[in-house]
Amino acid sequence: MAWTTITKSRNQRRSAPHLHDYESVRSHFSWEQARQDLEGLPHGQGLNIAHEAVVRHASGARAPHLAIRWLGKNGMVQDYSYGRLNELTNRFANVLRRLGVNAGDRVFVLAGRIPELYIAALGTLKNRSVFSPLFSAFGPEPIRARLTIGQAKVLVTTSALYQRKVAALRSTIASLEHVLLIGEDRQPTTIDGVQDLGLLMQEASPDFTIGPTDPEDVALLHFTSGTTGTPKGAMHVHQAVIAHHMTGKYALDFHEDDRFWCTADPGWVTGTSYGIIAPLTSGITSIVDEAEYDTERWYHTLQDQQISIWYTAPTAIRMMMKSGVDMVRKYDLHRLRFLASVGEPLNPEAVLWGREAFGHPFHDNWWQTETGGIMIANYAAMDIRAGSMGRPLPGIEAAVVRRTENGVEVVEEPNAQGELALRAGWPSMFRGYWNEPERYKKCFVGGWYLTGDLAKRDDDGYFWFVGRADDVIKTSGHLIGPFEVESVLIEHKAVAEAGVIGKPDPVAMEVVKAFVSLKDGYAPSEELRRELLGFSRARLGAVVAPKEITFLATLPKTRSGKIMRRLLKARELGLPEGDTSTLEAGS
Ligand code: AMP
């Protein structure tokens, strides 16, 4: 395998990296010891994420330290010290308690990156309820599906999002007892079961004591997509915080004076594990920007907020690359010391461009919703193999495996392709898919968790991403299940069948593309194509809806009637069709 290595010299670094010697830290590592970096609830009452993220700093010398600086899209700035964050999250926990929301009940938040989202997330964890974020760009259908599957008891959202996306479907979600309105735009409400959170917060006490929390109590419910079926709710427990904290230290190299910017939205797992939890457990300052991507705004933020550690995603990096290096040079980015990327494959050119533009390469790392935290990474103290995801974190055993009749076998041969697997048992490993034990069980074989990604491992233990083993789509870093899109398309009166694939795209990695066949009496036309695009956008939201639709007389199917997305993709890309022995005649 040929690669470009970016060698690090000691004088390139300002602070000694925590993971100074990979082999030695790895060989001495234990999760019990990693647990010692955290405080735990007083009197041995367990482990709670919100205690580690907020309470322990707020009750010590770090109380006045800036925990979160929020940058509003219209220029407003709000600062939250650890002390203030503690008080506000206490109030939110008291609101839940007063409403009769108990430990284990699901509290969903549907909002953009506004301060109340962060307060609700941490307050929910204090109350030992389960926090489940919903991406604010989702349309009503993905929202309905997730609230229903997760049996939401509370939904925290803005007036605008409620009116546009929830009000009409509210009556279909039997479990939903309380809607709490947040945000500047909120309207006075007289609707049954809808309350103004601002008023409830004012009335609530600023004091709250977290109850005993078993480290295995469910804390977070993150929805993700599979090839088939409905979205899956991956459950994470309170002791996931051990991995959040440890990976913040070793993979992102947090030091106490760092100013950290994670650009991910908490609607996706990165935005929660690293956009909320990990920087707070480390007691550092986290910058939250409400606005969407904008190249100049981002450079301004890096400069003005004196960001030292920046965690972003390949799609954004590719967009910045398009604007060129000269634009970056206009800014004073001397505080920046560590750049990391996740969510999609990071091209070697992007790694190198980081060095050219910012003086630091991007460090790719790999993980997914189910793993709860970073599993494989390129580290501050180690040379980077551009294009590789890096090496497993301490405490994480990764391997390339092949499925056999009796289970799996580890592929020992270097550079051979197989499925990426992780030895089960790390603290942030998901503990189930909500109410779907069978789907969960299928992910584990012979003590390995099978990730659904294809990868290779080289001679030196660096892992290289090859692709997905299934049909899920990655678009601008967001994982989309084709089934969710197909299900909406076939609800349209003209559509007989739908097959959805990820079509390669130079910036977004993939875009969602649909193939549809029409019912008798309907003919393909530009007008119908536009209608279907609009129809799916209104139901699914812009991120999930197809960007392209092609009409076909029939879709290729197996003899058992399953649409062969693989074949649709091969045909779209002009690639060999592979094994078509199960193809239905005439497809
Ligand atoms: P999600 O569960 O939405 O976070 O998506 C996880 C999936 O994103 C992984 O299973 C991979 O397919 C992909 N992914 C995440 N990080 C990387 C990376 N560094 N390189 C390549 N693919 C990645």
Side-chain angles (χ1 to χ4, degrees):
M1 208 181 278
W3 59 77
T4 309
T5 302
I6 298 180
T7 316
K8 309 264 184 74
S9 66
R10 281 194 175 278
N11 55 17
Q12 268 178 316
R13 299 183 220 123
R14 274 193 289 269
S15 43
H18 289 295
L19 197 77
H20 51 92
D21 178 344
Y22 178 78
E23 302 298 350
S24 145
V25 173
R26 200 175 154 77
S27 64
H28 292 105
F29 180 87
S30 75
W31 287 110
E32 292 70 38
Q33 197 194 346
R35 161 72 180 79
Q36 301 311 312
D37 279 353
L38 299 171
E39 193 176 64
L41 289 170
H43 318 297
Q45 292 197 317
L47 191 63
N48 183 295
I49 297 175
H51 178 87
E52 304 304 328
V54 186
V55 183
R56 80 162 160 150
H57 306 301
S59 48
R62 224 148 168 81
H65 192 74
L66 185 57
I68 294 177
R69 166 165 293 170
W70 176 75
L71 310 176
K73 58 182 169 207
N74 299 327
M76 197 194 285
V77 176
Q78 286 178 18
D79 283 348
Y80 296 85
S81 65
Y82 280 93
R84 176 139 184 257
L85 196 58
N86 192 36
E87 185 201 312
L88 291 167
T89 52
N90 279 351
R91 285 182 190 268
F92 186 82
N94 281 319
V95 168
L96 292 182
R97 190 175 273 179
R98 191 179 128 194
L99 293 174
V101 180
N102 298 317
D105 288 342
R106 271 77 56 214
V107 177
F108 280 67
V109 180
L110 170 69
R113 291 179 295 278
I114 56 175
E116 292 93 330
L117 182 160
Y118 298 79
I119 292 161
L122 294 159
T124 297
L125 296 171
K126 282 186 169 178
N127 194 47
R128 297 169 295 153
S129 306
V130 178
F131 169 64
S132 187
L134 290 170
F135 189 43
S136 58
F138 278 154
E141 190 45 42
I143 292 170
R144 190 199 55 74
R146 287 157 177 77
L147 291 174
T148 307
I149 297 166
Q151 296 156 299
K153 184 162 185 176
V154 179
L155 173 66
V156 179
T157 189
T158 65
S159 292
L161 288 169
Y162 182 72
Q163 288 309 334
R164 282 210 327 267
K165 304 186 177 188
V166 184
L169 53 87
R170 165 109 196 242
S171 61
T172 66
I173 305 156
S175 61
L176 187 58
E177 290 179 22
H178 307 283
V179 173
L180 306 178
L181 296 182
I182 54 173
E184 296 295 316
D185 69 340
R186 65 186 188 276
Q187 314 284 336
T189 171
T190 50
I191 311 166
D192 221 17
V194 179
Q195 301 190 64
D196 180 334
L197 181 63
L199 297 177
L200 296 173
M201 290 279 281
Q202 275 168 27
E203 290 160 11
S205 158
D207 301 316
F208 185 89
T209 304
I210 298 177
T213 311
D214 189 305
E216 282 295 307
D217 282 349
V218 179
L220 306 163
L221 183 62
H222 281 296
F223 281 88
T224 185
S225 301
T227 301
T228 56
T230 48
K232 306 176 275 191
M235 301 191 279
H236 291 281
V237 295
H238 275 275
Q239 67 167 314
V241 70
I242 303 172
H244 297 144
H245 187 78
M246 180 281 271
T247 50
K249 179 172 163 185
Y250 288 145
L252 298 174
D253 200 39
F254 291 159
H255 284 71
E256 62 172 10
D257 57 351
D258 274 316
R259 291 169 76 96
F260 172 63
W261 184 23
C262 170
T263 61
D265 189 278
W268 306 90
V269 72
T270 305
T272 298
S273 294
Y274 299 96
I276 307 179
I277 301 169
L280 296 179
T281 66
S282 294
I284 64 172
T285 298
S286 205
I287 304 298
V288 172
D289 185 10
E290 183 191 17
E292 292 313 317
Y293 175 83
D294 174 272
T295 311
E296 289 204 46
R297 182 181 170 101
W298 276 33
Y299 293 153
H300 260 296
T301 301
L302 289 169
Q303 169 187 271
D304 300 348
Q305 300 308 324
Q306 305 198 0
I307 306 294
S308 55
I309 302 182
W310 182 29
Y311 195 21
T312 189
T315 297
I317 298 169
R318 288 190 287 265
M319 292 204 276
M320 283 181 266
M321 287 170 76
K322 277 182 146 185
S323 310
V325 169
D326 287 346
M327 195 164 164
V328 186
R329 301 256 154 84
K330 291 193 221 149
Y331 297 85
D332 172 6
L333 305 178
H334 76 277
R335 276 291 304 265
L336 209 50
R337 70 170 181 86
F338 188 74
L339 279 52
S341 164
V342 72
E344 313 155 51
L346 185 65
N347 343 31
E349 307 80 63
V351 176
L352 299 167
W353 185 79
R355 193 172 58 170
E356 190 193 345
F358 302 102
H360 305 278
F362 283 100
H363 295 74
D364 189 17
N365 59 54
W366 177 95
W367 61 292
Q368 55 178 197
T369 303
E370 287 84 346
T371 71
I374 302 170
M375 297 284 108
I376 296 176
N378 286 283
Y379 303 93
M382 270 167 57
D383 296 346
I384 294 181
R385 252 166 223 191
S388 148
M389 305 186 288
R391 301 173 75 182
L393 267 289
I396 300 300
E397 190 187 342
V400 171
V401 304
R402 261 186 220 127
R403 295 183 193 237
T404 62
E405 269 180 21
N406 309 323
V408 292
E409 66 181 19
V410 173
V411 179
E412 300 290 357
E413 183 195 340
N415 304 320
Q417 181 176 317
E419 190 167 353
L420 178 61
L422 303 166
R423 173 72 67 197
W426 66 99
S428 66
M429 186 180 88
F430 69 134
R431 298 296 199 267
Y433 288 127
W434 190 264
N435 275 343
E436 293 192 279
E438 284 309 312
R439 242 173 152 182
Y440 182 67
K441 237 194 260 164
K442 279 194 194 147
C443 301
F444 297 87
V445 180
W448 292 97
Y449 162 62
L450 301 175
T451 67
D453 280 1
L454 300 174
K456 295 178 183 175
R457 180 181 176 279
D458 69 19
D459 276 331
D460 301 315
Y462 282 78
F463 283 80
W464 299 73
F465 183 77
V466 174
R468 285 290 304 184
D470 58 17
D471 292 337
V472 292
I473 300 162
K474 254 289 154 119
T475 180
S476 302
H478 304 138
L479 198 73
I480 309 291
F483 183 75
E484 210 170 357
V485 184
E486 291 160 0
S487 305
V488 159
L489 279 166
I490 59 170
E491 280 177 26
H492 189 278
K493 59 182 186 306
V495 175
E497 314 166 301
V500 168
I501 63 160
K503 178 181 163 183
D505 180 87
V507 176
M509 189 177 146
E510 293 186 313
V511 292
V512 179
K513 164 144 196 177
F515 296 86
V516 298
S517 67
L518 299 176
K519 286 185 185 153
D520 288 346
Y522 291 91
S525 69
E526 186 50 29
E527 196 187 339
L528 181 56
R529 205 178 58 81
R530 261 191 262 120
E531 184 181 320
L532 289 176
L533 287 170
F535 174 83
S536 21
R537 221 181 139 91
R539 302 259 181 132
L540 294 163
V543 266
V544 185
K547 297 271 181 299
E548 287 181 29
I549 294 182
T550 292
F551 295 110
L552 294 177
T554 56
L555 300 190
K557 288 185 284 299
T558 61
R559 285 190 210 108
S560 59
K562 222 171 117 197
I563 290 167
M564 293 177 81
R565 299 188 190 111
R566 178 178 61 75
L567 215 57
L568 285 169
K569 192 158 181 169
R571 290 177 183 173
E572 170 74 23
L573 304 180
L575 297 172
E577 297 196 354
D579 179 7
T580 52
S581 57
T582 60
L583 188 65
E584 183 194 51
S587 293

